[in-house]
Amino acid sequence: MSATMPTKNRYVLNWIDEMAKMTRPEKILWIDGTEKQADELRREACSTGELTKLNQDLLPGCYLHRTAINDVARVEGRTFICTRKKEDAGNINNWIDPKECYARLSKLYDGAMEGKTMYVIPYSMGIVGSDFAKYGIELTDSIYVVLNMLIMTRVGNDVLDALGDDPGFIKGLHAKAQLDEENRYICHFPEDNTIWSVNSGYGGNVLLGKKCFALRIASYLGRKEGWMAEHMLILGIEFPDGEIKYISAAFPSACGKTNLAMLIPPEIYRKKGFKVWTVGDDIAWLRIGRDGRLWAVNPENGFFGVAPGTNDKSNPNALATTKKNTIFTNVVENLDNETVWWEGLDKNPPKNALNWKGEKWDATDGSKGAHPNSRFTAMATNCPCLSDKFNDPAGVPITAIVFGGRRARTAPLVYQSTSWQNGTFVGSIMASETTAAAAGAVGVVRRDPMAMRPFVGYDMGDYWGHWLEMGKMIPNPPKIFHVNWFRTDDNGQFIWPGYGENMRVLMWILARCEGKVEAKETPIGYVPFVKDLELDGLDVDEKVVEGLLDVDAKLWLDDVAGIREFYAQVGNRVPAELYDELNALEKRLGK
Ligand code: GTP
Ligand code: SPV
Ligand code: MN
């Protein structure tokens, strides 16, 4: 390596040496976070076809990227937690012995960067230099990864300065190799602060700061150090008097976090002066504040959001966020004006266009133009409703935690748990229909506890135990709720209008936290009286809302059987308290 290295940290330098010996790049380039360097990389990526420059008048600073056709989502079946003891990874995670895994992947990395450049990306999850920031270095052979990391994380030499001589950074290695599905691996070594990813070029598989570090490795660290890393959005609701209350919410992938985080209040609230502010849309790191409340930061710096369905009615703030300096992945390219399109953007699909695979396409053959998991990567600072606490190292105090998923039946529109322990139970039994965010079948109900099934870096039972422990340590814990925007009628149509209207449910949640409204006791927890939900200006009958709040004991008893099966699968580390909760629920349901 040349003498102009931006750090003297020998742990960093030795590790890069070692990785370069294995992957044998032609060059090594340190990413410094400057616009000048980023621009050179964009130019290079455009010259090779890795990026397409979009219309710079309509979409300044925006680019399009297409992934390989076999590489469009996270691959949970190829994702591994490599702890020395298999039982520490638990039954829900895939596991490979770390020694064996290093050996197997070393072969795939061997010479994988020959003739290419290895980019060294020093990045921070959280605000550089703050108490709660954690640093990583990602080595990659992909400019697309570099440009995405520049948006999604805080990158540059100040990260190396903040790290100093410390060995405490997360070592991430990524090589696209042949993009061979059979040899695709996303491997985590929590005991070594290491992530190895190979044979993919897509999102969560390769932007190693995101799911790999900020959730899988961080959840492991959080358990050791007494904090939590969660798949949660964070939003603030500003009341007319200026007070802001913060809510964090965990929904599985492609189940509405970005949408809820950026919601526009219905007119009835806007008129009165209510506002909604976005702190984060995907990941929250939570710790106990000196005041005894739970405080949250968003460790990311941008949004990697689902494109399809985003439009000026469903999520105008997200759409506005993508109007400049955005990378679009796997959407439709409109050849007439070099803009982008996706299903649900508007009713006018372009006629002269390429689909996400790069094939000539128009909507008339009935096929989808954008991939269902096509995404935008956009800077948080583009977001019109970004919270002014976004860059506050202290984060924001959380009043309520909300769990939710896609359930056609069973789960009511909203219910409140009866305690932290009961709320942990409610999170542990979450279920949701699968989406296109991960490879595999879509629309199948599966258990996705706390929306973290694919992201817990250790045993699921121990993770629940950590939730219970945290509850004992937080003097003034948030109240825990569950929502379901996705109940369907007999024709399979969503009953609840969703999106901005979800604010009505959040307002009930906050009213409950302040003890301002009574609620109906049911076997699963507290459910609203219809009169306490603001329905003014909503085109939904009270009877229909009544139906959305209904708790069907028979369906729930069936669910209890499913939960028992799932707990058995999680295995012998499921905390006894959760079995107590399950048995008590079953009793209340009248078994
Ligand atoms: P990840 O980035 O994968 O973690 O997903 P996310 O939870 O941020 O999901 P996102 O907000 O992008 O929503 C994904 C899909 O859910 C989109 O197709 C939305 O249109 C749809 N969606 C979001 N909110 C609602 C809602 O309130 N009701 C209905 N019916 N659909 C919604
Ligand atoms: C998710 O799948 O939950 C995402 C997208 O947020 S990815 O970064 O690809 O994991
Ligand atoms: Mn996510």
Side-chain angles (χ1 to χ4, degrees), residues 540-555:
V540 181
D541 205 76
E542 265 189 35
K543 278 255 150 33
V544 172
V545 178
E546 200 86 63
L548 283 170
L549 294 172
D550 160 67
V551 177
D552 183 330
K554 164 131 195 351
L555 285 179

Side-chain angles (χ1 to χ4, degrees), residues 211 231 251-260 281-282 304-306 308-310 375 406 437 485-486 494 496-499 502:
K211 300 295 156 105
H231 193 198
F251 308 154
S253 302
C255 289
K257 288 183 300 302
T258 305
N259 279 272
L260 193 71
D281 84 324
D282 197 47
F304 185 60
V306 176
T310 307
R375 300 225 169 208
R406 286 177 188 262
W485 318 135
F486 297 94
F494 294 123
W496 177 249
Y499 300 98
N502 293 334

Side-chain angles (χ1 to χ4, degrees), residues 91-107:
N91 295 339
I92 299 300
N93 284 313
N94 302 309
W95 175 85
I96 307 176
D97 173 76
K99 267 209 195 90
E100 188 198 327
C101 190
Y102 284 129
R104 197 186 300 178
L105 269 61
S106 292
K107 291 202 188 100

Side-chain angles (χ1 to χ4, degrees), residues 80-380:
F80 298 85
I81 302 296
C82 306
T83 44
R84 280 190 286 281
K85 290 197 208 126
K86 182 175 194 303
E87 57 265 34
D88 290 340
N91 295 339
I92 299 300
N93 284 313
N94 302 309
W95 175 85
I96 307 176
D97 173 76
K99 267 209 195 90
E100 188 198 327
C101 190
Y102 284 129
R104 197 186 300 178
L105 269 61
S106 292
K107 291 202 188 100
L108 302 174
Y109 284 121
D110 187 48
M113 297 191 188
E114 266 169 16
K116 296 184 170 188
T117 302
M118 174 194 270
Y119 302 100
V120 180
I121 315 171
Y123 66 94
S124 174
M125 301 313 293
I127 291 145
V128 182
S130 72
D131 284 354
F132 215 39
K134 297 211 173 276
Y135 307 126
I137 297 182
E138 175 163 359
L139 308 178
T140 178
D141 55 4
S142 159
I143 297 183
Y144 172 75
V145 168
V146 172
L147 295 174
N148 273 272
M149 288 293 285
L150 282 167
I151 298 172
M152 294 305 297
T153 70
R154 294 164 172 92
V155 174
N157 293 343
D158 54 343
V159 174
L160 295 170
D161 296 342
L163 179 65
D165 296 330
D166 207 273
F169 65 101
I170 303 299
K171 302 184 271 250
L173 176 63
H174 165 246
K176 282 188 292 187
Q178 291 76 40
L179 298 178
D180 170 10
E181 272 177 293
E182 308 281 306
N183 281 306
R184 189 166 292 159
Y185 286 94
I186 320 301
C187 296
H188 308 70
F189 307 85
E191 291 150 351
D192 302 342
N193 287 335
T194 295
I195 304 159
W196 278 15
S197 163
V198 66
N199 275 312
S200 173
Y202 186 83
N205 299 331
V206 300
L207 308 178
L208 301 185
K210 196 171 176 59
K211 300 295 156 105
C212 300
F213 177 174
L215 288 179
R216 297 195 190 97
I217 299 281
S219 63
Y220 173 90
L221 294 174
R223 176 165 180 247
K224 273 206 316 202
E225 298 167 3
W227 53 281
M228 306 162 94
E230 299 295 333
H231 193 198
M232 287 178 176
L233 68 93
I234 310 163
L235 66 76
I237 296 186
E238 180 174 337
F239 285 67
D241 66 3
E243 193 192 7
I244 305 182
K245 295 251 189 251
Y246 296 91
I247 295 175
S248 65
F251 308 154
S253 302
C255 289
K257 288 183 300 302
T258 305
N259 279 272
L260 193 71
M262 298 183 188
L263 80 80
I264 303 226
E267 198 190 339
I268 173 115
Y269 293 113
R270 276 205 314 273
K271 260 189 342 214
K272 292 181 190 155
F274 284 91
K275 293 187 183 120
V276 167
W277 300 108
T278 307
V279 181
D281 84 324
D282 197 47
I283 296 175
W285 284 359
L286 303 135
R287 62 180 159 166
I288 303 168
R290 273 191 289 273
D291 64 355
R293 291 186 291 176
L294 190 64
W295 288 68
V297 299
N298 169 13
E300 300 193 277
N301 200 34
F303 308 120
F304 185 60
V306 176
T310 307
N311 61 54
D312 57 9
K313 295 221 167 47
S314 65
N315 195 347
N317 285 320
L319 198 63
T321 305
T322 64
K323 290 298 176 197
K324 62 176 186 191
N325 304 329
T326 295
I327 301 171
F328 297 93
T329 301
N330 291 343
V331 298
V332 173
E333 178 180 358
N334 182 339
L335 295 171
D336 281 336
N337 61 1
E338 281 310 317
T339 57
V340 287
W341 190 85
W342 49 77
E343 277 68 23
L345 174 63
D346 57 39
K347 298 213 162 75
N348 311 306
K351 303 226 156 36
N352 179 26
L354 301 179
N355 67 11
W356 69 271
K357 299 177 187 167
E359 302 160 342
K360 197 77 180 64
W361 174 87
D362 68 47
T364 53
D365 71 359
S367 70
K368 286 207 155 79
H371 188 275
N373 192 36
S374 55
R375 300 225 169 208
F376 55 80
T377 319
M379 286 152 53

